Amino acid sequence: MSPRRMMVIGAHSADFVWRAGGAVAVTTSGGGAACVVALSYGERGESGELWKEPGQTIERVKEIRHGEAERAAAALGAEFQCLDFDDYPLEIDGDALRLISDRIREFAPDVLITHTHTDPFNPDHPIAFTAVSRARSLAAGAGVPSAFATVKPPALFLFEPHQPELCNFTPTTFIDITAVLDRKLAAMAEMKAQQYLQSYYAERAEHRANHARRSSGNPEIRQAEAFQRITPEVVQAL
């Protein structure tokens, strides 16, 4: 199998770290390539610690968040891009949708990962799902030849939200991240504006490892990440 290409598109600059950092590190450590795209920096809704600094500004928060995300992505072996749309509310118009689609075409991922389509506590996450799902279809030509360049339809996965049961998240795929845990921990440590999530997702990796062990019978899995596959998988046999 040729090296895989993985793209993670999140609503905010830190989303990829908590929910797919291990999967990204597995891909890059195996010789594949990974690209992380943030639709916004989360400068208004997810940077509470930064706003405690006297005289803080939007521009400075964005600068700090960019540095954090870039270093986190580097720790995972990935490149980071931010399209710098506004957050809370995240709004995607036609131009923004075309830009997301262009990014997918340019990178041509085998796997595309984004948010769940439901999140009662974060209004930006479902907007990101809808935009990424539509942009994927546009980039792939909606499954048929078209008048613009297209890519092979990437497999679409959803990463695990903070409140999975309330977001209609049902895991269909577990990935063993035991061998790359140190890289995910290093990436999470860069996100100083949301330090409370570091311990939460470290613990979640152990919970999902228990599910992965029971599902696979592999006792060596100590940490795992969970994903929900949206697109059907085409195989030669079951």
Side-chain angles (χ1 to χ4, degrees), residues 36 44 137 207:
V36 175
R44 299 202 313 163
S137 294
H207 299 159

Side-chain angles (χ1 to χ4, degrees), residues 17-18 68 71-72 75 182-195 197-198:
V17 179
W18 323 115
E68 289 181 348
R71 291 190 297 272
D182 59 335
R183 296 175 67 179
K184 178 168 183 174
L185 293 177
M188 290 197 298
E190 293 291 348
M191 296 300 174
K192 297 177 176 57
Q194 293 175 283
Q195 293 185 22
L197 289 177
Q198 295 178 25

Side-chain angles (χ1 to χ4, degrees), residues 63-227:
E63 181 182 352
I64 294 171
R65 294 279 285 185
H66 185 93
E68 289 181 348
E70 197 168 53
R71 291 190 297 272
L76 302 172
E79 64 170 300
F80 172 75
Q81 305 174 16
C82 184
L83 302 186
D84 198 11
F85 304 146
D86 291 335
D87 71 318
Y88 288 78
L90 175 67
E91 296 180 322
I92 306 296
D93 60 14
D95 289 339
L97 185 61
R98 281 186 284 273
L99 184 57
I100 300 168
S101 183
D102 286 344
R103 289 293 185 272
I104 296 173
R105 286 193 193 92
E106 291 164 4
F107 189 74
D110 300 298
V111 175
L112 180 61
I113 306 174
T114 192
H115 295 273
T116 53
H117 53 73
T118 301
D119 192 329
F121 299 113
N122 194 309
D124 287 357
H125 291 173
I127 297 299
F129 165 83
T130 299
V132 172
S133 180
R134 292 184 66 191
R136 172 190 174 276
S137 294
L138 291 170
V144 298
S146 60
F148 50 85
T150 61
V151 296
K152 179 181 177 181
L156 181 60
F157 287 84
L158 311 181
F159 47 46
E160 182 165 14
H162 199 168
Q163 299 88 7
E165 298 85 356
L166 300 180
C167 298
N168 297 329
F169 177 81
T170 301
T172 62
T173 306
F174 296 107
I175 183 168
D176 180 5
I177 66 169
T178 307
V180 297
L181 179 66
D182 59 335
R183 296 175 67 179
K184 178 168 183 174
L185 293 177
M188 290 197 298
E190 293 291 348
M191 296 300 174
K192 297 177 176 57
Q194 293 175 283
Q195 293 185 22
Y196 65 97
L197 289 177
Q198 295 178 25
S199 58
Y200 178 89
Y201 277 98
E203 293 173 0
R204 175 58 72 178
E206 295 183 358
H207 299 159
R208 290 310 190 186
N210 176 59
H211 300 157
R213 288 193 299 271
R214 294 176 66 88
S215 296
S216 66
N218 180 359
E220 302 302 318
I221 301 175
R222 310 317 303 172
Q223 286 86 23
E225 287 177 342
F227 298 88

